[in-house]
């Protein structure tokens, strides 16, 4: 088992626990933090079916009561209507009780449950138990919560840090290859923006990740989570420009997700396409050596992530891109790369360069 501390200035610090078969230890973790003993667990039907009984049994043995609330396993769960239904159910259950909210699932569950925990009674304790590789290395860490509007993703949200993140590697055993690939897209992001050794590790060991090798998974989750924890500790609310580098691939990636109705491409697949576009823009502006660009493209290809867009209209991607929340007024802002481990946050990039990079993603 490994532990990472997320250190926040003048705020509640918290731990990320990484290991195998951790569900049985959850009561001890909760007791150490003196969290409320009524647990409201937000999850989806599949996760509840696979692991719900084990989690509720562990909590019961530790003297905790629990209630499950299931949402659909889709980005559509992050709608305003779903959020309202969830918080109304929580309010009914939590009447005259002190509550801890669990986010027990992937990125969608994490975003939604975190948002609800942040707004109910102006904030109740939150614990993440991420069940996907993407959530364990990325979305469960850092305190960003969000729900979607029809026009764009994650436009309504808060910053709200959990009290604890528990990454049980055994929960990754049920993931299919597409879900593993989606998580690896975020791992590539961390390697590209911050860590040459991690990039080499991914080039050499991605096959072991697909085979669910526990030591390899533990190393990957620990390294990626450690990068994010350090960045979040330095710039919790993205006010200093430090945390901005975590958006590499996300500006255009989110536009692709939105243009596809959040069904055509998973988050990781869309981010992979966004990283390709951002890398090509970096090359077109003379920031990135062509050999390094090819190295990034090769890793994305070898892992099996998409390199081209189909069944989505180019104009819809361009429209969604211009609605991205990372715009400052009408000024665009993209995270570009100069080398593996070296980034550059650039503003006022020519529309021609961006449009060309997006257009190049489409199958002709």
């Amino acid at each position: 088992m490994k532990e990472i501390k997320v250190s926040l200035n003048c705020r509640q610090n918290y731990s990320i626990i990484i290991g195998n078969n951790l569900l049985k230890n959850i009561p001890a973790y909760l007791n150490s933090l003196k969290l409320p003993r009524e647990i409201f667990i937000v999850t989806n039907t599949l996760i509840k079916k696979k692991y719900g009984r084990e989690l509720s049994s562990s909590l019961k043995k530790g003297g905790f009561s629990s209630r499950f609330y299931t949402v659909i396993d889709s980005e559509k769960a992050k709608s305003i209507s779903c959020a309202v239904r969830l918080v109304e159910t929580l309010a009914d259950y939590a009447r005259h009780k002190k509550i801890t909210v669990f986010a027990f699932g992937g990125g969608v569950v994490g975003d939604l449950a975190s948002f609800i925990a942040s707004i109910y009674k102006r904030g109740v304790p939150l614990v993440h138990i991420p069940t996907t590789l993407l959530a364990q290395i990325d979305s469960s860490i850092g305190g960003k919560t969000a729900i979607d509007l029809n026009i764009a993703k994650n436009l309504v949200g808060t910053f709200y840090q959990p009290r604890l993140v528990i990454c049980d590697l055994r929960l990754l055993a049920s993931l299919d290859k597409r879900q593993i690939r989606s998580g690896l897209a975020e791992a590539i992001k961390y390697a590209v923006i911050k860590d040459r050794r991690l990039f080499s590790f991914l080039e050499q060991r991605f096959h072991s990740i697909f085979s669910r090798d526990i030591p390899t998974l533990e190393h990957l989750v620990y390294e990626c989570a450690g990068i994010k924890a350090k960045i979040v500790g330095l710039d919790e609310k993205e006010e200093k420009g430090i945390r901005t580098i975590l958006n590499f691939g996300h500006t255009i990636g989110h536009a692709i997700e939105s243009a596809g109705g959040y069904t055509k491409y998973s988050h990781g697949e869309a981010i992979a396409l966004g990283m390709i576009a951002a890398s090509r823009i970096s090359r077109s502006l003379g920031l990135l050596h062509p050999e390094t660009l090819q190295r990034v493209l090769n890793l994305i290809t070898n892992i099996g992530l998409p390199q081209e867009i189909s069944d989505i209209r180019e104009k819809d991607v361009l429209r969604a891109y211009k609605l991205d929340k990372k715009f400052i007024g009408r000024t665009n802002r993209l995270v570009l790369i100069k080398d593996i481990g070296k980034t550059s946050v650039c503003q006022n990039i020519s529309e021609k360069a961006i449009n060309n990079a997006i257009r190049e993603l489409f199958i002709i």
Side-chain angles (χ1 to χ4, degrees), residues 219-253:
H219 178 79
L220 178 68
V221 174
Y222 180 78
E223 292 298 321
C224 292
I227 291 170
K228 186 162 189 180
K230 184 175 181 180
I231 292 172
V232 168
L234 293 171
D235 186 12
E236 180 187 0
K237 296 186 177 180
E238 206 166 320
E239 297 169 330
K240 302 175 183 178
I242 299 170
R243 185 168 178 163
T244 303
I245 65 172
L246 295 174
N247 292 323
F248 175 62
H250 283 59
T251 300
I252 293 173

PDB file of all heavy atoms in Angstrom, residues 219-253:
ATOM      1  N   HIS A 219       2.331   1.248  -9.547  1.00  0.00           N
ATOM      2  CA  HIS A 219       3.331   2.242  -9.926  1.00  0.00           C
ATOM      3  C   HIS A 219       2.695   3.344 -10.770  1.00  0.00           C
ATOM      4  O   HIS A 219       2.953   4.537 -10.538  1.00  0.00           O
ATOM      5  CB  HIS A 219       4.465   1.572 -10.708  1.00  0.00           C
ATOM      6  CG  HIS A 219       5.517   2.532 -11.166  1.00  0.00           C
ATOM      7  ND1 HIS A 219       6.501   3.012 -10.338  1.00  0.00           N
ATOM      8  CD2 HIS A 219       5.726   3.130 -12.379  1.00  0.00           C
ATOM      9  CE1 HIS A 219       7.275   3.846 -11.013  1.00  0.00           C
ATOM     10  NE2 HIS A 219       6.833   3.930 -12.247  1.00  0.00           N
ATOM     11  N   LEU A 220       1.864   2.965 -11.724  1.00  0.00           N
ATOM     12  CA  LEU A 220       1.243   3.949 -12.612  1.00  0.00           C
ATOM     13  C   LEU A 220       0.338   4.898 -11.831  1.00  0.00           C
ATOM     14  O   LEU A 220       0.430   6.132 -11.991  1.00  0.00           O
ATOM     15  CB  LEU A 220       0.432   3.237 -13.698  1.00  0.00           C
ATOM     16  CG  LEU A 220      -0.311   4.155 -14.674  1.00  0.00           C
ATOM     17  CD1 LEU A 220       0.673   4.906 -15.559  1.00  0.00           C
ATOM     18  CD2 LEU A 220      -1.288   3.345 -15.534  1.00  0.00           C
ATOM     19  N   VAL A 221      -0.543   4.335 -11.009  1.00  0.00           N
ATOM     20  CA  VAL A 221      -1.469   5.173 -10.237  1.00  0.00           C
ATOM     21  C   VAL A 221      -0.696   6.082  -9.278  1.00  0.00           C
ATOM     22  O   VAL A 221      -0.994   7.278  -9.155  1.00  0.00           O
ATOM     23  CB  VAL A 221      -2.489   4.309  -9.475  1.00  0.00           C
ATOM     24  CG1 VAL A 221      -3.372   5.176  -8.559  1.00  0.00           C
ATOM     25  CG2 VAL A 221      -3.372   3.535 -10.455  1.00  0.00           C
ATOM     26  N   TYR A 222       0.312   5.536  -8.636  1.00  0.00           N
ATOM     27  CA  TYR A 222       1.100   6.325  -7.685  1.00  0.00           C
ATOM     28  C   TYR A 222       1.807   7.489  -8.386  1.00  0.00           C
ATOM     29  O   TYR A 222       1.792   8.635  -7.889  1.00  0.00           O
ATOM     30  CB  TYR A 222       2.119   5.427  -6.993  1.00  0.00           C
ATOM     31  CG  TYR A 222       2.985   6.137  -5.980  1.00  0.00           C
ATOM     32  CD1 TYR A 222       2.493   6.444  -4.715  1.00  0.00           C
ATOM     33  CD2 TYR A 222       4.289   6.493  -6.297  1.00  0.00           C
ATOM     34  CE1 TYR A 222       3.298   7.099  -3.781  1.00  0.00           C
ATOM     35  CE2 TYR A 222       5.094   7.149  -5.372  1.00  0.00           C
ATOM     36  CZ  TYR A 222       4.586   7.452  -4.114  1.00  0.00           C
ATOM     37  OH  TYR A 222       5.378   8.109  -3.201  1.00  0.00           O
ATOM     38  N   GLU A 223       2.416   7.228  -9.515  1.00  0.00           N
ATOM     39  CA  GLU A 223       3.155   8.282 -10.218  1.00  0.00           C
ATOM     40  C   GLU A 223       2.220   9.370 -10.740  1.00  0.00           C
ATOM     41  O   GLU A 223       2.492  10.565 -10.580  1.00  0.00           O
ATOM     42  CB  GLU A 223       3.968   7.682 -11.367  1.00  0.00           C
ATOM     43  CG  GLU A 223       5.119   6.794 -10.923  1.00  0.00           C
ATOM     44  CD  GLU A 223       6.154   7.543 -10.105  1.00  0.00           C
ATOM     45  OE1 GLU A 223       6.446   8.706 -10.426  1.00  0.00           O
ATOM     46  OE2 GLU A 223       6.671   6.958  -9.141  1.00  0.00           O
ATOM     47  N   CYS A 224       1.119   8.972 -11.373  1.00  0.00           N
ATOM     48  CA  CYS A 224       0.183   9.956 -11.928  1.00  0.00           C
ATOM     49  C   CYS A 224      -0.505  10.748 -10.828  1.00  0.00           C
ATOM     50  O   CYS A 224      -0.614  11.984 -10.900  1.00  0.00           O
ATOM     51  CB  CYS A 224      -0.862   9.260 -12.793  1.00  0.00           C
ATOM     52  SG  CYS A 224      -0.219   8.541 -14.315  1.00  0.00           S
ATOM     53  N   ALA A 225      -0.980  10.050  -9.803  1.00  0.00           N
ATOM     54  CA  ALA A 225      -1.644  10.733  -8.696  1.00  0.00           C
ATOM     55  C   ALA A 225      -0.682  11.674  -7.982  1.00  0.00           C
ATOM     56  O   ALA A 225      -1.078  12.767  -7.538  1.00  0.00           O
ATOM     57  CB  ALA A 225      -2.216   9.710  -7.722  1.00  0.00           C
ATOM     58  N   GLY A 226       0.576  11.273  -7.883  1.00  0.00           N
ATOM     59  CA  GLY A 226       1.569  12.123  -7.242  1.00  0.00           C
ATOM     60  C   GLY A 226       1.808  13.416  -8.006  1.00  0.00           C
ATOM     61  O   GLY A 226       1.953  14.492  -7.405  1.00  0.00           O
ATOM     62  N   ILE A 227       1.833  13.320  -9.337  1.00  0.00           N
ATOM     63  CA  ILE A 227       1.990  14.525 -10.159  1.00  0.00           C
ATOM     64  C   ILE A 227       0.820  15.462  -9.934  1.00  0.00           C
ATOM     65  O   ILE A 227       0.992  16.669  -9.702  1.00  0.00           O
ATOM     66  CB  ILE A 227       2.116  14.157 -11.646  1.00  0.00           C
ATOM     67  CG1 ILE A 227       3.433  13.444 -11.917  1.00  0.00           C
ATOM     68  CG2 ILE A 227       2.014  15.409 -12.525  1.00  0.00           C
ATOM     69  CD1 ILE A 227       3.544  12.838 -13.306  1.00  0.00           C
ATOM     70  N   LYS A 228      -0.394  14.916  -9.991  1.00  0.00           N
ATOM     71  CA  LYS A 228      -1.557  15.788  -9.833  1.00  0.00           C
ATOM     72  C   LYS A 228      -1.634  16.372  -8.428  1.00  0.00           C
ATOM     73  O   LYS A 228      -1.959  17.547  -8.255  1.00  0.00           O
ATOM     74  CB  LYS A 228      -2.846  15.042 -10.157  1.00  0.00           C
ATOM     75  CG  LYS A 228      -4.060  15.983 -10.140  1.00  0.00           C
ATOM     76  CD  LYS A 228      -5.257  15.427 -10.841  1.00  0.00           C
ATOM     77  CE  LYS A 228      -6.345  16.490 -10.984  1.00  0.00           C
ATOM     78  NZ  LYS A 228      -7.548  15.977 -11.664  1.00  0.00           N
ATOM     79  N   ALA A 229      -1.321  15.552  -7.414  1.00  0.00           N
ATOM     80  CA  ALA A 229      -1.380  16.040  -6.040  1.00  0.00           C
ATOM     81  C   ALA A 229      -0.428  17.226  -5.838  1.00  0.00           C
ATOM     82  O   ALA A 229      -0.779  18.216  -5.177  1.00  0.00           O
ATOM     83  CB  ALA A 229      -1.023  14.915  -5.069  1.00  0.00           C
ATOM     84  N   LYS A 230       0.758  17.135  -6.411  1.00  0.00           N
ATOM     85  CA  LYS A 230       1.729  18.222  -6.260  1.00  0.00           C
ATOM     86  C   LYS A 230       1.246  19.492  -6.953  1.00  0.00           C
ATOM     87  O   LYS A 230       1.323  20.592  -6.388  1.00  0.00           O
ATOM     88  CB  LYS A 230       3.077  17.799  -6.838  1.00  0.00           C
ATOM     89  CG  LYS A 230       4.174  18.828  -6.637  1.00  0.00           C
ATOM     90  CD  LYS A 230       5.527  18.316  -7.120  1.00  0.00           C
ATOM     91  CE  LYS A 230       6.624  19.342  -6.890  1.00  0.00           C
ATOM     92  NZ  LYS A 230       7.955  18.842  -7.364  1.00  0.00           N
ATOM     93  N   ILE A 231       0.704  19.350  -8.157  1.00  0.00           N
ATOM     94  CA  ILE A 231       0.219  20.511  -8.901  1.00  0.00           C
ATOM     95  C   ILE A 231      -0.967  21.147  -8.189  1.00  0.00           C
ATOM     96  O   ILE A 231      -1.047  22.373  -8.045  1.00  0.00           O
ATOM     97  CB  ILE A 231      -0.145  20.107 -10.340  1.00  0.00           C
ATOM     98  CG1 ILE A 231       1.119  19.735 -11.126  1.00  0.00           C
ATOM     99  CG2 ILE A 231      -0.896  21.237 -11.054  1.00  0.00           C
ATOM    100  CD1 ILE A 231       0.849  19.135 -12.497  1.00  0.00           C
ATOM    101  N   VAL A 232      -1.910  20.321  -7.717  1.00  0.00           N
ATOM    102  CA  VAL A 232      -3.083  20.837  -7.003  1.00  0.00           C
ATOM    103  C   VAL A 232      -2.657  21.547  -5.720  1.00  0.00           C
ATOM    104  O   VAL A 232      -3.201  22.601  -5.367  1.00  0.00           O
ATOM    105  CB  VAL A 232      -4.072  19.691  -6.692  1.00  0.00           C
ATOM    106  CG1 VAL A 232      -5.149  20.139  -5.709  1.00  0.00           C
ATOM    107  CG2 VAL A 232      -4.715  19.193  -7.978  1.00  0.00           C
ATOM    108  N   GLY A 233      -1.669  20.998  -5.023  1.00  0.00           N
ATOM    109  CA  GLY A 233      -1.188  21.637  -3.814  1.00  0.00           C
ATOM    110  C   GLY A 233      -0.599  23.015  -4.055  1.00  0.00           C
ATOM    111  O   GLY A 233      -0.682  23.904  -3.199  1.00  0.00           O
ATOM    112  N   LEU A 234      -0.012  23.203  -5.222  1.00  0.00           N
ATOM    113  CA  LEU A 234       0.585  24.496  -5.564  1.00  0.00           C
ATOM    114  C   LEU A 234      -0.437  25.499  -6.088  1.00  0.00           C
ATOM    115  O   LEU A 234      -0.237  26.715  -5.968  1.00  0.00           O
ATOM    116  CB  LEU A 234       1.678  24.289  -6.625  1.00  0.00           C
ATOM    117  CG  LEU A 234       2.924  23.525  -6.188  1.00  0.00           C
ATOM    118  CD1 LEU A 234       3.801  23.207  -7.391  1.00  0.00           C
ATOM    119  CD2 LEU A 234       3.714  24.322  -5.149  1.00  0.00           C
ATOM    120  N   ASP A 235      -1.529  24.995  -6.678  1.00  0.00           N
ATOM    121  CA  ASP A 235      -2.492  25.890  -7.344  1.00  0.00           C
ATOM    122  C   ASP A 235      -3.874  25.246  -7.311  1.00  0.00           C
ATOM    123  O   ASP A 235      -4.388  24.786  -8.327  1.00  0.00           O
ATOM    124  CB  ASP A 235      -2.032  26.137  -8.784  1.00  0.00           C
ATOM    125  CG  ASP A 235      -2.877  27.177  -9.520  1.00  0.00           C
ATOM    126  OD1 ASP A 235      -3.666  27.877  -8.877  1.00  0.00           O
ATOM    127  OD2 ASP A 235      -2.727  27.264 -10.756  1.00  0.00           O
ATOM    128  N   GLU A 236      -4.480  25.230  -6.115  1.00  0.00           N
ATOM    129  CA  GLU A 236      -5.713  24.469  -5.912  1.00  0.00           C
ATOM    130  C   GLU A 236      -6.826  24.877  -6.870  1.00  0.00           C
ATOM    131  O   GLU A 236      -7.513  24.026  -7.440  1.00  0.00           O
ATOM    132  CB  GLU A 236      -6.200  24.640  -4.474  1.00  0.00           C
ATOM    133  CG  GLU A 236      -7.483  23.885  -4.179  1.00  0.00           C
ATOM    134  CD  GLU A 236      -8.051  24.189  -2.814  1.00  0.00           C
ATOM    135  OE1 GLU A 236      -7.437  24.998  -2.076  1.00  0.00           O
ATOM    136  OE2 GLU A 236      -9.118  23.625  -2.479  1.00  0.00           O
ATOM    137  N   LYS A 237      -7.024  26.191  -7.061  1.00  0.00           N
ATOM    138  CA  LYS A 237      -8.177  26.666  -7.823  1.00  0.00           C
ATOM    139  C   LYS A 237      -7.790  27.268  -9.175  1.00  0.00           C
ATOM    140  O   LYS A 237      -8.535  28.060  -9.749  1.00  0.00           O
ATOM    141  CB  LYS A 237      -8.978  27.675  -7.002  1.00  0.00           C
ATOM    142  CG  LYS A 237      -9.577  27.042  -5.754  1.00  0.00           C
ATOM    143  CD  LYS A 237     -10.491  27.998  -5.014  1.00  0.00           C
ATOM    144  CE  LYS A 237     -11.125  27.311  -3.817  1.00  0.00           C
ATOM    145  NZ  LYS A 237     -12.024  28.213  -3.057  1.00  0.00           N
ATOM    146  N   GLU A 238      -6.623  26.880  -9.671  1.00  0.00           N
ATOM    147  CA  GLU A 238      -6.157  27.315 -10.983  1.00  0.00           C
ATOM    148  C   GLU A 238      -6.108  28.839 -11.085  1.00  0.00           C
ATOM    149  O   GLU A 238      -6.517  29.445 -12.071  1.00  0.00           O
ATOM    150  CB  GLU A 238      -7.055  26.741 -12.089  1.00  0.00           C
ATOM    151  CG  GLU A 238      -6.356  26.588 -13.433  1.00  0.00           C
ATOM    152  CD  GLU A 238      -7.136  25.732 -14.409  1.00  0.00           C
ATOM    153  OE1 GLU A 238      -7.718  24.717 -13.989  1.00  0.00           O
ATOM    154  OE2 GLU A 238      -7.142  26.094 -15.601  1.00  0.00           O
ATOM    155  N   GLU A 239      -5.577  29.455 -10.022  1.00  0.00           N
ATOM    156  CA  GLU A 239      -5.482  30.915  -9.971  1.00  0.00           C
ATOM    157  C   GLU A 239      -4.076  31.426 -10.270  1.00  0.00           C
ATOM    158  O   GLU A 239      -3.879  32.603 -10.529  1.00  0.00           O
ATOM    159  CB  GLU A 239      -5.915  31.406  -8.582  1.00  0.00           C
ATOM    160  CG  GLU A 239      -7.365  31.094  -8.258  1.00  0.00           C
ATOM    161  CD  GLU A 239      -7.725  31.343  -6.797  1.00  0.00           C
ATOM    162  OE1 GLU A 239      -6.826  31.205  -5.931  1.00  0.00           O
ATOM    163  OE2 GLU A 239      -8.891  31.658  -6.534  1.00  0.00           O
ATOM    164  N   LYS A 240      -3.087  30.522 -10.245  1.00  0.00           N
ATOM    165  CA  LYS A 240      -1.690  30.937 -10.427  1.00  0.00           C
ATOM    166  C   LYS A 240      -1.130  30.517 -11.779  1.00  0.00           C
ATOM    167  O   LYS A 240       0.022  30.805 -12.080  1.00  0.00           O
ATOM    168  CB  LYS A 240      -0.821  30.343  -9.312  1.00  0.00           C
ATOM    169  CG  LYS A 240      -1.270  30.731  -7.910  1.00  0.00           C
ATOM    170  CD  LYS A 240      -0.440  30.015  -6.862  1.00  0.00           C
ATOM    171  CE  LYS A 240      -0.924  30.319  -5.457  1.00  0.00           C
ATOM    172  NZ  LYS A 240      -0.149  29.577  -4.430  1.00  0.00           N
ATOM    173  N   GLY A 241      -1.926  29.821 -12.568  1.00  0.00           N
ATOM    174  CA  GLY A 241      -1.457  29.360 -13.868  1.00  0.00           C
ATOM    175  C   GLY A 241      -0.700  28.056 -13.831  1.00  0.00           C
ATOM    176  O   GLY A 241      -0.340  27.515 -14.887  1.00  0.00           O
ATOM    177  N   ILE A 242      -0.448  27.520 -12.610  1.00  0.00           N
ATOM    178  CA  ILE A 242       0.317  26.270 -12.492  1.00  0.00           C
ATOM    179  C   ILE A 242      -0.551  25.082 -12.890  1.00  0.00           C
ATOM    180  O   ILE A 242      -0.129  24.209 -13.644  1.00  0.00           O
ATOM    181  CB  ILE A 242       0.839  26.097 -11.050  1.00  0.00           C
ATOM    182  CG1 ILE A 242       1.764  27.261 -10.683  1.00  0.00           C
ATOM    183  CG2 ILE A 242       1.571  24.762 -10.903  1.00  0.00           C
ATOM    184  CD1 ILE A 242       2.130  27.316  -9.203  1.00  0.00           C
ATOM    185  N   ARG A 243      -1.774  25.054 -12.372  1.00  0.00           N
ATOM    186  CA  ARG A 243      -2.674  23.921 -12.610  1.00  0.00           C
ATOM    187  C   ARG A 243      -3.150  23.866 -14.060  1.00  0.00           C
ATOM    188  O   ARG A 243      -3.609  22.822 -14.526  1.00  0.00           O
ATOM    189  CB  ARG A 243      -3.866  24.015 -11.653  1.00  0.00           C
ATOM    190  CG  ARG A 243      -4.805  22.826 -11.726  1.00  0.00           C
ATOM    191  CD  ARG A 243      -5.795  22.803 -10.581  1.00  0.00           C
ATOM    192  NE  ARG A 243      -6.708  21.675 -10.726  1.00  0.00           N
ATOM    193  CZ  ARG A 243      -7.466  21.187  -9.752  1.00  0.00           C
ATOM    194  NH1 ARG A 243      -7.434  21.741  -8.544  1.00  0.00           N
ATOM    195  NH2 ARG A 243      -8.264  20.160  -9.967  1.00  0.00           N
ATOM    196  N   THR A 244      -3.023  24.959 -14.769  1.00  0.00           N
ATOM    197  CA  THR A 244      -3.507  25.030 -16.151  1.00  0.00           C
ATOM    198  C   THR A 244      -2.909  23.933 -17.030  1.00  0.00           C
ATOM    199  O   THR A 244      -3.567  23.447 -17.955  1.00  0.00           O
ATOM    200  CB  THR A 244      -3.184  26.412 -16.753  1.00  0.00           C
ATOM    201  OG1 THR A 244      -3.760  27.423 -15.922  1.00  0.00           O
ATOM    202  CG2 THR A 244      -3.755  26.542 -18.162  1.00  0.00           C
ATOM    203  N   ILE A 245      -1.676  23.502 -16.741  1.00  0.00           N
ATOM    204  CA  ILE A 245      -1.034  22.503 -17.600  1.00  0.00           C
ATOM    205  C   ILE A 245      -1.785  21.174 -17.599  1.00  0.00           C
ATOM    206  O   ILE A 245      -1.618  20.369 -18.514  1.00  0.00           O
ATOM    207  CB  ILE A 245       0.449  22.287 -17.250  1.00  0.00           C
ATOM    208  CG1 ILE A 245       0.622  21.687 -15.855  1.00  0.00           C
ATOM    209  CG2 ILE A 245       1.212  23.598 -17.371  1.00  0.00           C
ATOM    210  CD1 ILE A 245       2.059  21.281 -15.549  1.00  0.00           C
ATOM    211  N   LEU A 246      -2.628  20.943 -16.574  1.00  0.00           N
ATOM    212  CA  LEU A 246      -3.425  19.714 -16.538  1.00  0.00           C
ATOM    213  C   LEU A 246      -4.475  19.689 -17.633  1.00  0.00           C
ATOM    214  O   LEU A 246      -5.097  18.650 -17.878  1.00  0.00           O
ATOM    215  CB  LEU A 246      -4.111  19.568 -15.177  1.00  0.00           C
ATOM    216  CG  LEU A 246      -3.185  19.371 -13.972  1.00  0.00           C
ATOM    217  CD1 LEU A 246      -3.985  19.396 -12.674  1.00  0.00           C
ATOM    218  CD2 LEU A 246      -2.415  18.063 -14.086  1.00  0.00           C
ATOM    219  N   ASN A 247      -4.672  20.825 -18.300  1.00  0.00           N
ATOM    220  CA  ASN A 247      -5.661  20.896 -19.380  1.00  0.00           C
ATOM    221  C   ASN A 247      -5.088  20.496 -20.738  1.00  0.00           C
ATOM    222  O   ASN A 247      -5.774  20.632 -21.760  1.00  0.00           O
ATOM    223  CB  ASN A 247      -6.230  22.322 -19.482  1.00  0.00           C
ATOM    224  CG  ASN A 247      -7.066  22.685 -18.278  1.00  0.00           C
ATOM    225  OD1 ASN A 247      -7.780  21.857 -17.723  1.00  0.00           O
ATOM    226  ND2 ASN A 247      -6.970  23.943 -17.851  1.00  0.00           N
ATOM    227  N   PHE A 248      -3.862  19.993 -20.772  1.00  0.00           N
ATOM    228  CA  PHE A 248      -3.293  19.564 -22.051  1.00  0.00           C
ATOM    229  C   PHE A 248      -4.223  18.547 -22.729  1.00  0.00           C
ATOM    230  O   PHE A 248      -4.578  17.522 -22.153  1.00  0.00           O
ATOM    231  CB  PHE A 248      -1.916  18.941 -21.838  1.00  0.00           C
ATOM    232  CG  PHE A 248      -1.301  18.366 -23.090  1.00  0.00           C
ATOM    233  CD1 PHE A 248      -1.020  19.182 -24.176  1.00  0.00           C
ATOM    234  CD2 PHE A 248      -1.012  17.016 -23.188  1.00  0.00           C
ATOM    235  CE1 PHE A 248      -0.458  18.658 -25.341  1.00  0.00           C
ATOM    236  CE2 PHE A 248      -0.447  16.478 -24.330  1.00  0.00           C
ATOM    237  CZ  PHE A 248      -0.176  17.304 -25.416  1.00  0.00           C
ATOM    238  N   GLY A 249      -4.630  18.867 -23.951  1.00  0.00           N
ATOM    239  CA  GLY A 249      -5.524  18.000 -24.708  1.00  0.00           C
ATOM    240  C   GLY A 249      -6.998  18.172 -24.396  1.00  0.00           C
ATOM    241  O   GLY A 249      -7.855  17.638 -25.103  1.00  0.00           O
ATOM    242  N   HIS A 250      -7.317  18.910 -23.329  1.00  0.00           N
ATOM    243  CA  HIS A 250      -8.697  18.958 -22.866  1.00  0.00           C
ATOM    244  C   HIS A 250      -9.557  20.006 -23.577  1.00  0.00           C
ATOM    245  O   HIS A 250     -10.776  19.827 -23.674  1.00  0.00           O
ATOM    246  CB  HIS A 250      -8.735  19.191 -21.356  1.00  0.00           C
ATOM    247  CG  HIS A 250      -8.425  17.955 -20.567  1.00  0.00           C
ATOM    248  ND1 HIS A 250      -7.238  17.271 -20.702  1.00  0.00           N
ATOM    249  CD2 HIS A 250      -9.155  17.262 -19.646  1.00  0.00           C
ATOM    250  CE1 HIS A 250      -7.246  16.224 -19.884  1.00  0.00           C
ATOM    251  NE2 HIS A 250      -8.389  16.194 -19.245  1.00  0.00           N
ATOM    252  N   THR A 251      -8.969  21.084 -24.026  1.00  0.00           N
ATOM    253  CA  THR A 251      -9.784  22.118 -24.674  1.00  0.00           C
ATOM    254  C   THR A 251     -10.452  21.554 -25.924  1.00  0.00           C
ATOM    255  O   THR A 251     -11.678  21.608 -26.068  1.00  0.00           O
ATOM    256  CB  THR A 251      -8.918  23.348 -25.017  1.00  0.00           C
ATOM    257  OG1 THR A 251      -8.353  23.867 -23.810  1.00  0.00           O
ATOM    258  CG2 THR A 251      -9.752  24.421 -25.686  1.00  0.00           C
ATOM    259  N   ILE A 252      -9.667  21.003 -26.818  1.00  0.00           N
ATOM    260  CA  ILE A 252     -10.239  20.411 -28.035  1.00  0.00           C
ATOM    261  C   ILE A 252     -10.899  19.071 -27.706  1.00  0.00           C
ATOM    262  O   ILE A 252     -11.927  18.717 -28.289  1.00  0.00           O
ATOM    263  CB  ILE A 252      -9.148  20.265 -29.116  1.00  0.00           C
ATOM    264  CG1 ILE A 252      -8.694  21.662 -29.560  1.00  0.00           C
ATOM    265  CG2 ILE A 252      -9.653  19.455 -30.312  1.00  0.00           C
ATOM    266  CD1 ILE A 252      -7.510  21.675 -30.500  1.00  0.00           C
ATOM    267  N   GLY A 253     -10.348  18.340 -26.741  1.00  0.00           N
ATOM    268  CA  GLY A 253     -10.945  17.067 -26.341  1.00  0.00           C
ATOM    269  C   GLY A 253     -12.371  17.227 -25.839  1.00  0.00           C
ATOM    270  O   GLY A 253     -13.267  16.459 -26.223  1.00  0.00           O
TER     271      GLY A 253
END
